[in-house]
Amino acid sequence: MAERDHTWSAGLKPDNPHDSAHLHVTGLARYADDAPEPSDMLHLAFGQASETSARIVSMDLSAVRAAEGVVAVFTAADIPGENNTGPVRHDETMLADGEVVFPGQPLFLVAATSQRSARKAARLGKVVYEKRPAAVSIAEARKAGSRIEETQRMARGDCAAALAAAPQRISGEFAMGGQDHFYLEGHICVATPGEDGQLHLLCSTQHPSEVQHLVANLLNLSSADVTVEVRRLGGGFGGKETQATGFAAAAALVAAKTGRPAKFRVDRDDDMILTGKRHEFEVAYQVGFDAAGQILALSLHLASRCGASQDLSPAINDRAMFHVDNCYFLPDVEIVSERLKTNTVSATAFRGFGGPQGMLAIERIIDHVAIALGKEPLEVRVANLYGPGRDVTPYGMMVSDNIAPALIARLRSDTNYDARVRAIEVSNAASPVIKRGIALTPVKFGISFTTTHLNQAGALVHLYADGSIQLNHGGTEMGQGLYVKVAQIVADVFAVPLTQVRVTATRTDKVPNTSATAASSGADLNGMAAHNAAMTIRERLAAFLARLYGCRQGDVAFSLEGVTAGEERMTFAEAARKAHIGRISLSATGFYATPGIQYDRAAHRGRPFYYFAYGAAVSEVAIDTLTGEHRVLAVDILHDVGRSLNPLIDKGQIEGGFLQGQGWLTTEDLVFDHEGRLLTHSPATYKIPTASDRAKHFVVNLWDGENIEPTINRSKAVGEPPFMLAISVFSALNRAIAAAAPDGREMAQLDAPATPERVMAAIAQFASP
């Protein structure tokens, strides 16, 4: 079934609202914290380390145990199984076991009768430390030789020779900060003990199966003894892919030890301190090019701050390497990636998963080349696009679906880009204080987990005798519209109204061994698995009705008007009832594994992605050269989602992704002190974009095309690619800053995020000494 060309067949309208929209706006959507609390519920808090790197000499927790409301206190010694919440390397403890590796690290766990009591008591621990040398910054980790793995190198051709022979060469460096996920619902887990040692976890996680497996290992249970349930998340963005496990494990430990239900609802400050962020990167480059701006050679060095444990850093940094080409052919290239281990909270998955960092690097380089040549940056971009004879990535994958040139050309024309460039130049010449900038930047983003075995999904479909359908799959709903998309697929298979399909909460006891809902693959994987399950039932129905009415199976048809079998007509509910009476199984599982992908990580060669999703954005900005403040004036987006499963949902994802990317590049400034303590750990000090940051002119259009690969409905993923459209804002800011230079031909040093302070510092570089 995976090879079929799957398109809408029943005439169903894809523009359906989010399945929980009516519940969200009425306040009836139930999250983990909305579940009724039994009278014996325990509430939890971690006691956190105050040091950055140290040996724990002693912990006196007597005051904690004696505090009001405290029922129990646990340390690493109370964990019956493996003290680990790390997803891959098993190098991250739930509770510190003798040493501290980052400030805020959990040392002990408090269970009390209220959340306030638990949090107050957690601050009463008396810990004696023996401090050790710490590496907080990228530079300190490099000096100490502290890495999570060996430095990786991806290359093609002879970069050094091509650089030496290039007619023109420039070099540069810049840094980009991390980003907090700032989901509206913080981390939470409710653990309820069952009979015979079993546990049920109601959890806010993107990866229920990982929580299940790691909790089972921590408690010396089998995975079958732990059930993880997720109905919906109040946002995830990658922050609940691995980071939910520590809180879930803590709740599970307390429930298992006390026999009482336990809830860990994390305070916002603690959530920001305890959980990982987007990786910070430092970038250095040398680029050789010709008079047309065509890149002939690129030597690129990426260094990231990975934090105290491995988490998903190898895969994230790999994806950064995969995306430094973006839409551009790099003939002779060397990409070196350093993955530094630091005494800070471990960095983790975030929307784009390293792709934004790699893509920002090449777009900054393109801007630098354009300024050096005095050329329009878009002309330089177009000169470097993939094309015939120039269609293989640095890691050896063919770019077979290269719609970027046509997409860029259409957006350029539709937005009157060239005329706007000329108008801005006139405006800037007449305005000494307000400088404007405009940029059109493209996106080419690979879709699939780069860890190949994760590209699989399962689903369970039940058809009841009254014609109603229940659907369950391994994907989690975090606001992105996955549930409604997959429900549409199942409704289409049976040719019934969408209201006839009920999606139930994701549970590890219904669909086992699932991958995280991540890598923009939720609809691709779970949609196809659900389609395969539904098709199994439909084929059983068709075969039964053909036998019953003496016609060929191919003469059984499903439509919105009902089911026909030869000359016989009936409603879908009647067909289901007949099949039930005829003892036909009306339940089926479905499975899907992405075909055609393979990758040799040691050689950094292969086809890690099933396909590419494309997009482009034009952003226009204005800066105040006296204050460094800026405003995004206009945004026009043309984005490729193939043949959309749900245009309404997809457009919402594109707009939301863009705004989140804009926040990363302009306002969301994570500040750590010299000891690695996070200083920006609340909305008072950390500025996410708000409605007022959205450009008044904001237009999103979908590219009219389809996936060349046989995905469900020939659609393409939409979760992560739009995030990188916001690089157009950063490029436009660079251009506005360059307009403040005496000749407009200087590339100012500008790190991301482009806060007013950094914009002012960039402008100050043009001042006469």
Side-chain angles (χ1 to χ4, degrees), residues 475-627:
T476 58
E477 175 59 61
M478 47 192 139
Q480 82 278 37
L482 175 63
Y483 273 21
V484 71
K485 284 185 174 182
V486 180
Q488 286 177 192
I489 293 164
V490 172
D492 185 72
V493 168
F494 294 114
V496 298
L498 181 60
T499 53
Q500 214 158 311
V501 180
R502 172 66 70 182
V503 187
T504 59
T506 306
R507 289 178 59 111
T508 56
D509 59 353
K510 283 193 174 182
V511 177
N513 306 317
T514 57
S515 298
T517 304
S520 303
S521 60
D524 280 4
L525 296 176
N526 295 286
M528 194 68 85
H531 179 275
N532 291 343
M535 283 297 297
T536 298
I537 299 173
R538 194 178 89 164
E539 288 170 359
R540 289 177 192 160
L541 274 174
F544 166 74
L545 293 173
R547 292 194 304 271
L548 184 64
Y549 293 107
C551 64
R552 294 181 306 166
Q553 186 170 335
D555 292 331
V556 177
F558 297 80
S559 71
L560 290 175
E561 287 72 40
V563 182
T564 59
E567 299 298 319
E568 196 71 26
R569 296 178 179 274
M570 68 202 82
T571 66
F572 181 74
E574 289 170 341
R577 177 69 66 184
K578 290 177 186 293
H580 173 62
I581 293 172
R583 298 187 297 176
I584 301 301
S585 172
L586 299 179
S587 178
T589 60
F591 181 78
Y592 176 72
T594 308
I597 53 175
Q598 56 79 32
Y599 187 66
D600 180 352
R601 187 169 187 261
H604 287 300
R605 302 284 293 179
R607 184 188 178 186
F609 307 119
Y610 191 31
Y611 62 86
F612 294 108
Y614 295 86
V618 174
S619 291
E620 186 176 336
V621 304
I623 62 171
D624 185 330
T625 59
L626 300 181
T627 65

Side-chain angles (χ1 to χ4, degrees), residues 125-142:
K126 297 177 181 178
V127 184
V128 177
Y129 302 95
E130 179 185 290
K131 295 185 67 172
R132 293 175 173 174
V136 171
S137 68
I138 286 175
E140 290 170 346
R142 183 182 292 126

Side-chain angles (χ1 to χ4, degrees), residues 289-313:
F289 51 97
D290 61 20
Q294 187 166 308
I295 293 174
L296 305 175
L298 173 64
S299 174
L300 182 66
H301 189 279
L302 306 173
S304 73
R305 180 160 78 168
C306 298
S309 63
Q310 185 184 83
D311 196 81
L312 300 175
S313 290

Side-chain angles (χ1 to χ4, degrees), residues 724-757:
M724 285 145 286
L725 295 171
I727 293 174
S728 59
V729 172
F730 195 75
S731 289
L733 287 170
N734 270 307
R735 200 164 182 182
I737 291 168
D743 61 357
R745 293 283 300 274
E746 295 183 56
M747 184 70 165
Q749 177 69 34
L750 179 66
D751 295 335
T755 59
E757 295 86 350

Side-chain angles (χ1 to χ4, degrees), residues 282-344:
E282 291 181 359
V283 178
Y285 58 87
Q286 289 182 287
V287 58
F289 51 97
D290 61 20
Q294 187 166 308
I295 293 174
L296 305 175
L298 173 64
S299 174
L300 182 66
H301 189 279
L302 306 173
S304 73
R305 180 160 78 168
C306 298
S309 63
Q310 185 184 83
D311 196 81
L312 300 175
S313 290
I316 291 165
N317 283 270
D318 284 357
R319 188 174 276 268
M321 298 172 75
F322 291 139
H323 286 84
V324 298
D325 64 328
N326 195 11
C327 293
Y328 313 116
F329 178 71
L330 306 174
D332 288 271
V333 59
E334 180 183 51
I335 306 161
V336 175
S337 171
E338 272 188 294
R339 296 100 192 266
L340 285 310
K341 183 176 182 179
T342 55
N343 293 109
T344 52

